[in-house]
């Protein structure tokens, strides 16, 4: 469909088995994501792309452990293990991901003091990545999401896409969740409430 784009979120080594922030079941979605890429004319990829010492890394804080939270200028923020550091193998796309067809690659999380789960707006909820302008300029009205992680970057991106006025579907089978403190159930509910179509299968 000419007005539809597939957005593949953060299918990077650090989120896959053996990576610094491995999401359970991540590797298994790659063939399904590739099948979706094969079926779409317009494909956008996103890449989590943090500088060393990024504020979302627990290691950047004194005595902090990953998977706890800290108070940032913009609010409560989860602290993560160091992951997807710019230019490192962990930040590369999964070796089997079919990236050739991608028309656009959006990098996010590069401001040292601000995390960015969403591909549209950083976690301060104010700094914009420019993706909605790009998609609207290209005439897309319907976005299909897949990738990692369902309950963080996929969910936040999909919800922001709805707020930007797009029709939105998430192909749940082609995602995997971190599920930290009930985040999977919570974000599935939030996505449904936002009017996002949650497809079970690819
Ligand atoms: C992500 C946590 C930290 C994601 C990125 O891609 O879902 N989650 N950075
Ligand atoms: Zn990150």
């Amino acid at each position: 469909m000419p007005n539809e784009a597939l957005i593949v979120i953060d299918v990077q080594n650090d989120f896959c088995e053996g990576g610094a922030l491995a999401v359970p079941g991540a590797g298994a979605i790659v063939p399904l994501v590739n099948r979706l890429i094969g079926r779409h004319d317009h494909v956008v990829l996103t890449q989590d792309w943090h500088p060393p010492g990024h504020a979302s890394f627990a290691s950047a804080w004194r005595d902090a452990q990953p998977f706890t939270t800290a108070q940032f200028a913009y609010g409560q923020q989860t602290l993560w293990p160091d992951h997807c550091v710019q230019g490192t193998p962990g930040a590369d796309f999964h070796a089997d991901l079919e990236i050739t067809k991608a028309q656009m690659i959006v990098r996010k999380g590069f401001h040292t003091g601000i995390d960015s789960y969403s591909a549209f707006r950083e976690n301060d909820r104010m700094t914009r990545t420019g993706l909605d302008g790009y998609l609207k300029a290209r005439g897309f009205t319907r976005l299909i999401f897949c990738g990692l992680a369902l309950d963080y970057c996929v969910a936040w991106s999909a919800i922001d896409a709805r707020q930007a006025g797009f029709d939105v579907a998430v192909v749940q089978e082609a995602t995997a969740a971190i599920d930290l403190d009930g985040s999977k159930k919570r974000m599935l509910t939030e996505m449904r409430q936002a009017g996002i179509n949650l497809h079970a299968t690819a």
Side-chain angles (χ1 to χ4, degrees):
M1 283 212 273
N3 62 343
E4 184 174 291
L6 176 72
I7 319 280
V8 179
I9 303 286
D10 298 0
V11 181
Q12 293 165 264
N13 291 327
D14 269 343
F15 296 123
C16 297
E17 286 77 359
L21 179 41
V23 181
I29 74 163
V30 175
L32 304 177
V33 173
N34 284 341
R35 200 194 307 163
L36 287 172
I37 291 172
R39 286 191 195 150
H40 280 84
D41 294 332
H42 306 290
V43 177
V44 171
L45 308 177
T46 73
Q47 206 169 11
D48 211 35
W49 195 250
H50 300 305
H54 190 260
S56 76
F57 298 168
S59 63
W61 296 69
R62 205 171 356 105
D63 297 329
Q65 293 304 311
F67 309 109
T68 61
T69 61
Q71 193 62 36
F72 281 43
Y74 55 78
Q76 218 40 19
Q77 160 74 49
T78 301
L79 300 179
W80 303 103
D82 291 26
H83 65 280
C84 297
V85 175
Q86 296 173 1
T88 65
D92 287 345
F93 293 114
H94 187 290
D96 298 332
L97 185 70
E98 279 290 345
I99 62 171
T100 310
K101 201 172 163 181
Q103 296 173 345
M104 170 73 157
I105 299 175
V106 182
R107 288 171 167 171
K108 61 182 179 61
F110 47 74
H111 291 125
T112 300
I114 316 175
D115 205 2
S116 192
Y117 298 150
S118 166
F120 295 90
R121 266 192 304 163
E122 303 192 9
N123 287 13
D124 63 357
R125 311 276 70 207
M126 305 220 336
T127 306
R128 294 152 60 103
T129 64
L131 179 59
D132 68 329
Y134 167 82
L135 294 170
K136 284 175 181 165
R138 298 255 347 249
F140 300 124
T141 55
R142 185 175 152 73
L143 306 179
I144 315 297
F145 287 87
C146 62
L148 303 169
L150 172 65
D151 43 350
Y152 286 90
C153 292
V154 174
W156 286 51
S157 298
I159 290 168
D160 276 355
R162 279 293 296 153
Q163 276 175 17
F166 295 98
D167 257 347
V168 179
V170 171
V171 183
Q172 210 180 317
E173 190 190 42
T175 70
I178 295 174
D179 205 9
L180 180 62
D181 301 326
S183 55
K184 180 176 177 181
K185 186 163 180 276
R186 188 168 63 247
M187 295 315 290
L188 284 171
T189 303
E190 281 199 29
M191 284 192 277
R192 271 190 213 101
Q193 284 170 352
I196 291 164
N197 192 338
L198 289 160
H199 287 295
T201 53

